[in-house]
Amino acid sequence: MQKVFERPKGLTDNEFAYCPGCLHSVVHRMIAEVMEELDIIQNTVCVCPVGCSVFMYEYMACDVIEAAHGRAPAVATGVKRVLPDRVVFAYQGDGDLASIGTAEIIHAAARGEQLSVIFINNATYGMTGGQMAPTTLIGQKSTTCKMGRDPQISGYPIKICEMLATLDGPSYIERVAPTSPAGLVKTKKAIKKAFQNQIDGKRFSMVEVLSNCPQQWHMNPIDTFKFIEDEVSKVFPPGVYVDR
Amino acid sequence: MTTRKLIKGNIAICHGAVAAKCDAFFGYPITPQNEIPELMSDLMPANGGIFLQAESEISAISMVYGAACAGKRAMTSSSSPGISLKQEGISYIAACELPCVIVNVQRGGPGLGNTLPSQADYFQTVKGGGHGDYKMLTLAPWSAQECYEFMPLAFDLADRYQNPAMILMDAIVGQMLEPVDLHNNFEICDYSKSWATIGARGRAHNIINSLWIDPEVMENLNLRMQAKYAAAQLHETRYAEYRTDDAELILVAYGSPARIAKTVVDMARDEGMAVGLLRPITLFPFPSARIAEYAKNGSRFMALEMSAGQMVEDVRLAVNGMADVAFYGRTGGVVPTPTDILNVVRASFSKPPVFSSYPSERRSVK
Ligand SMILES: Cc1ncc(C[n+]2csc(CCOP(=O)(O)OP(=O)(O)O)c2C)c(N)n1
Ligand code: SF4
């Protein structure tokens, strides 16, 4: 019988430890597929974050570095500057990229580092138990804003794509929502483009993935997709922000 | 071929880095070490290396971490407040057993302090400024010549022990102009770095990580690190001695205060006091065994520092109650004068103080 679906070579044999329905797994798989399709598994260095995806090094078949919380873009810069012919990518959550690591991402983007960044925005701190993230929506509940995020106390969600799009450094910035078949196709295409750009010698490329957290949102996975489409996408509109 | 140049310690650090075949420098401006990134921005590209001014010290050390993961010789330099910011990265680099070199041209503190000479970062340097049980192999140059020569040594130690190495200076050592022989008598070894994350290229994928959920595995890493540190204590302890053989009182000082102390040794000897100088060159590993030997033989000690008393604790630990350990220090950027120190030495020999004939000294004694 013909095999029509198998594990991409970009993944190791380890089983994902993510919660059921968590999009971290889906995006991991897409990155692995892209590495295989572009034939760069043997030439890629992944820099993984602190967050639920901290164990990414267990799953990616390429070389992997575990960075300190928020520092992945700086670590990736260090690798890419001394190994310019390797493909270097960083994978970061919203706490990692949009809170503790804001300086690192802004400056990597401003310098136009030849990196690919996959940014998983799930509007919460998944790993530490669902605290408020810089991307938590106004009114959205978390363990540190139990009545919902109040702008009087906690200000407003940070829109990273829009911020980075003001810079001249980036070559490509897109926000995607993998919550429908069409969204999944778009997400994979965007990730592939972020890697292809780097191979082509373009500068900084980032894909923000509107992700979910069934565990900390206290929702079943299907409802999380609806929430992303109805609520999250209103604050963080999907689309291409930079492409040059 | 050796060229002799009149240069600052900070400049000598840069030439030493080039002699050490440093591949990458990442830094952020802070006085009194700005000569280092300024010159490195020329020297690194001129020698086929990478220079990058980072957005912060946190990023600079993270970039060092990345370049070290890639198997390259990477370094950063800063001064006290900036070194505080680097502690996160240093802890990660130590935990991942990566080599790199960090230069700290210390300034007066705490807080923003000032840009004057100080040695108040000793604890932060040798007692583990970041989190966790790690140590940095620490070299303390007292001259521009040593700044030059300690760079290849620091890179070699870092590679050999797969551990961050620090060059701990004070603003005098960094800023003072001195003649330096820019020789090339260094053996630069090529260390195999099969662990480096440079793309798998057919082998099993490499992982550089410091997260170990299983406590036994985490403890094993700690045990391996401690074994490294014990080996370094045995094989890498470096110090210099001056007129210590028959010394009743041994001054213990590193960096600029050691140079002042050397003058004081001669002044005291002229007055018939048997005083010597022991200068730790490695602060970790500390020359504890040597100090203990002198303590056993009846010497007493006086630690001299530009701090409120930090290294003196290691002297006391080495002496372990066998001998008297006194301390004299100035803080906040004040540099002790020879007469300041001579008077404490005289007091320890029950002699009255003398007054300096140097007007500049009289001003600082007030
Ligand atoms: C310096 C530091 N501060 C805090 C933490 C604790 N911590 C671990 S993961 C995390 C948040 C991660 O959230 P996010 O980046 O959104 O990723 P997610 O888990 O949601 O995928 C925090 C705060 C840490 N490891 N290091
Ligand atoms: S806690 Fe949330 S982000 Fe983390 S694995 Fe579970 S669902 Fe995914």
Side-chain angles (χ1 to χ4, degrees), chain A residues 18-19 22 24 52 122 126-127 212-216:
Chain A
Y18 297 109
C19 304
C22 175
H24 269 307
C52 278
N122 63 6
M127 175 167 236
N212 65 349
C213 181
Q215 177 72 20
Q216 313 297 359

Side-chain angles (χ1 to χ4, degrees), chain B residues 29-34 78-81 105 107 114-115 175:
Chain B
I30 184 169
T31 312
Q33 62 85 58
N34 289 324
S78 188
S79 177
S80 311
V105 188
R107 55 188 252 177
N114 56 37
T115 59
Q175 293 292 333

